[in-house]
Amino acid sequence: EMLDLVNALARDLGFTLLFVSHQPEDARHAASRVLFVEAGEILCDGPTEQVFTPPLPAPLAAYLGET
């Protein structure tokens, strides 16, 4: 998959990658750290596993329809 290739290049070449997505599963797969932004405001920020591990931060839970 393209995300795997880009992540491998970033890791192998030692650069940081900023990935913007509206798809939580893409972010969960591609990122080591996630910022959830709504209307220009950072609502939650942290390591991917922490942000996506229940209990989810309220804004993210609402976005995912898990409220």
Side-chain angles (χ1 to χ4, degrees), residues 1 7 18-19 22 29 46 49-52 66:
E1 182 173 315
N7 276 335
L18 175 63
F19 178 72
H22 291 263
H29 176 75
E49 286 187 34
Q50 177 185 343
V51 170
F52 283 103
E66 297 183 14

Side-chain angles (χ1 to χ4, degrees), residues 7 15-21 23-37 42-53 57 60:
N7 276 335
F15 64 84
T16 299
L17 176 67
L18 175 63
F19 178 72
V20 178
S21 177
Q23 304 302 319
E25 286 305 314
D26 288 345
R28 182 181 275 169
H29 176 75
S32 60
R33 181 170 198 85
V34 173
L35 275 79
F36 182 70
V37 179
I42 297 173
L43 300 180
C44 56
D45 167 24
T48 305
E49 286 187 34
Q50 177 185 343
V51 170
F52 283 103
T53 299
L60 182 57

